[in-house]
Amino acid sequence: MAKKTLGYVELEWACPNCGSKNPGTQPACGTCGAPQPEKVQFELGQKRDLISDPARQQAAAKGADLHCPYCGTRNAAAATVCAQCGGDLKEGTKRESGRVLTASAPQAGETPCPNCGTPNPAGSGKCSACGALLNQPRAAIPAPATAKPAAGSQKAGFFRPWMALPLIAVFLLICVVVGFFLFRTETLSGVVQDVNWQRTITIEALRDVTREAWRDQVPDAGEILSCRQEFRTRQENPAPNSKEVCATEYVDKGNGVAEVVETCYYEVYADLCKYTVEEWQPVDQAVAEGADQSPYWPTVNLSNGEREGRRAESYGIYFETSAGIKEYTTDSAALFSQFQPGSQWMLSVNSFGQVVEVSP
């Protein structure tokens, strides 16, 4: 997909001391003066005007700021020595960057001043009337005292990793038991008591069927009934009957601004058509069956416009064992011919009583 940079917008950060919103490139809170935290998370503000000043654009493009390894001061990406202490920034820590930002919900209503009661626009840091801080964090309310639990007791709902061990053990035990019954077999001696067989030949005829395909994939013999425009594929370049789709992302550069990236691609639409075409379809079948060792294929009587289709065969053998009559089925005529009445075989029987393997 084609991507292009539209420009840069300034982000904002929330002061952890007073809650005020500040421009992303501002190193200290404009309301209370607290320094911007080292691990601050920049946010996408409501105003997203592209930065127009060339110098600021160049600074934004240089990437994530550096924190001085000696004093922690935030420095521009291109800096080699700290602006605060003069320390070498070779070992400086780059700020987090590359995160795709999403817009937060716009603030609504007004914020009353806790000092004088004057209403102020949502997001304001100071009261417009008395200058008091509007977003001071509330003092934590101490939790009511509770009786200290006795030694060895545990809070309700408190989970410890070792509590999962019994559940894991039960799960493993179930797996072992299921595996035992699925794969366990026993060997029985069996004598062939009876056999049966069935052979079928499908009879096919040409019939009209309705299919759906893209117009350029409809077979030459197909008769189109109707078509509709549907999305078919996505590509980078324009094409006939395509629609350009663009999405805008804001990528945190790690320096208080975000790169505005537009990603575009083309959705190509085409005719998806219903059509009819003649295809060979099953219309009948010829069947032969018996209870002897001489299987044969049934005689097929074809009408005009018909043909023989798929052939199928199935053979059943019944063994008398110490555990009762056991049935074994196969589709191999060569193997079936070996099961002569009265012949003795070794049978592998699973836990469900099914014969899964035989040998003379």
Side-chain angles (χ1 to χ4, degrees), residues 28-70:
C29 178
T31 300
C32 68
Q36 184 188 100
E38 182 177 340
K39 296 187 180 297
V40 69
Q41 289 288 314
F42 293 115
E43 302 171 0
L44 193 60
Q46 299 304 315
K47 291 184 178 181
R48 296 168 209 162
D49 298 330
L50 294 178
I51 296 173
S52 58
D53 180 64
R56 294 185 64 200
Q57 291 175 351
Q58 291 178 7
K62 290 178 180 178
D65 289 338
L66 290 168
H67 281 288
C68 176
Y70 304 102

Side-chain angles (χ1 to χ4, degrees), residues 8-320:
Y8 301 91
V9 296
E10 184 153 24
L11 300 174
E12 61 182 27
W13 60 279
C15 176
N17 183 56
C18 68
S20 296
K21 301 286 188 180
N22 297 276
T25 55
Q26 185 170 297
C29 178
T31 300
C32 68
Q36 184 188 100
E38 182 177 340
K39 296 187 180 297
V40 69
Q41 289 288 314
F42 293 115
E43 302 171 0
L44 193 60
Q46 299 304 315
K47 291 184 178 181
R48 296 168 209 162
D49 298 330
L50 294 178
I51 296 173
S52 58
D53 180 64
R56 294 185 64 200
Q57 291 175 351
Q58 291 178 7
K62 290 178 180 178
D65 289 338
L66 290 168
H67 281 288
C68 176
Y70 304 102
C71 67
T73 299
R74 172 181 171 183
N75 293 269
T80 57
V81 295
C82 178
Q84 178 67 26
C85 70
D88 191 346
L89 293 177
K90 287 183 180 179
E91 303 299 326
T93 304
K94 276 193 173 185
R95 300 178 68 93
E96 177 188 358
S97 63
R99 186 167 55 99
V100 177
L101 304 173
T102 56
S104 57
Q107 299 181 7
E110 296 178 324
T111 303
C113 174
N115 183 51
C116 66
T118 301
N120 293 268
S124 301
K126 289 183 179 180
C127 176
S128 58
C130 68
L133 299 180
L134 298 178
N135 297 296
Q136 296 186 71
R138 297 183 180 180
I141 301 175
T146 57
K148 187 176 181 179
S153 66
Q154 141 181 327
K155 294 180 181 179
F158 184 76
F159 176 79
R160 295 180 185 275
W162 58 262
M163 295 179 183
L165 292 178
L167 295 177
I168 295 174
V170 171
F171 174 76
L172 292 176
L173 179 61
I174 292 173
C175 291
V176 170
V177 171
V178 171
F180 174 79
F181 282 104
L182 283 177
F183 301 107
R184 173 181 172 270
T185 60
E186 64 173 328
T187 302
L188 294 176
S189 175
V191 177
V192 176
Q193 293 295 308
D194 200 4
V195 296
N196 61 38
W197 57 269
Q198 183 183 76
R199 287 180 170 181
T200 61
I201 301 176
T202 301
I203 300 173
E204 297 178 340
L206 286 172
R207 294 288 186 268
D208 282 339
V209 294
T210 301
R211 303 289 188 212
E212 193 171 66
W214 300 108
R215 182 183 288 274
D216 60 0
Q217 295 176 348
V218 174
D220 294 337
E223 180 181 349
I224 294 177
L225 302 176
S226 62
C227 296
R228 65 183 187 277
Q229 285 278 297
E230 292 287 344
F231 167 75
R232 184 172 185 179
T233 187
R234 175 184 295 178
Q235 61 186 47
E236 291 188 11
N237 302 316
N241 206 28
S242 65
K243 179 177 69 175
E244 185 179 25
V245 178
C246 295
T248 302
E249 292 181 339
Y250 297 86
V251 182
D252 184 359
K253 297 290 289 182
N255 52 14
V257 301
E259 180 182 8
V260 185
V261 179
E262 185 180 63
T263 303
C264 297
Y265 57 88
Y266 291 87
E267 291 183 344
V268 181
Y269 289 78
D271 282 340
L272 186 63
C273 302
K274 284 186 177 180
Y275 66 94
T276 59
V277 66
E278 280 192 330
E279 292 182 359
W280 290 103
Q281 297 291 309
V283 294
D284 201 355
Q285 66 176 9
V287 180
E289 53 191 3
D292 53 30
Q293 294 292 126
S294 303
Y296 58 87
W297 290 104
T299 301
V300 177
N301 297 313
L302 298 177
S303 300
N304 186 33
E306 295 181 341
R307 73 175 187 182
E308 288 190 16
R310 178 176 175 271
R311 293 191 172 207
E313 52 192 318
S314 177
Y315 307 95
I317 305 94
Y318 299 88
F319 298 92
E320 183 178 351

Side-chain angles (χ1 to χ4, degrees), residues 192 195 293 317 319 328 335-341 343 345 358:
V192 176
V195 296
Q293 294 292 126
I317 305 94
F319 298 92
Y328 178 69
L335 179 60
F336 177 68
S337 65
Q338 301 178 43
F339 294 107
Q340 298 299 321
S343 60
W345 295 73
V358 297

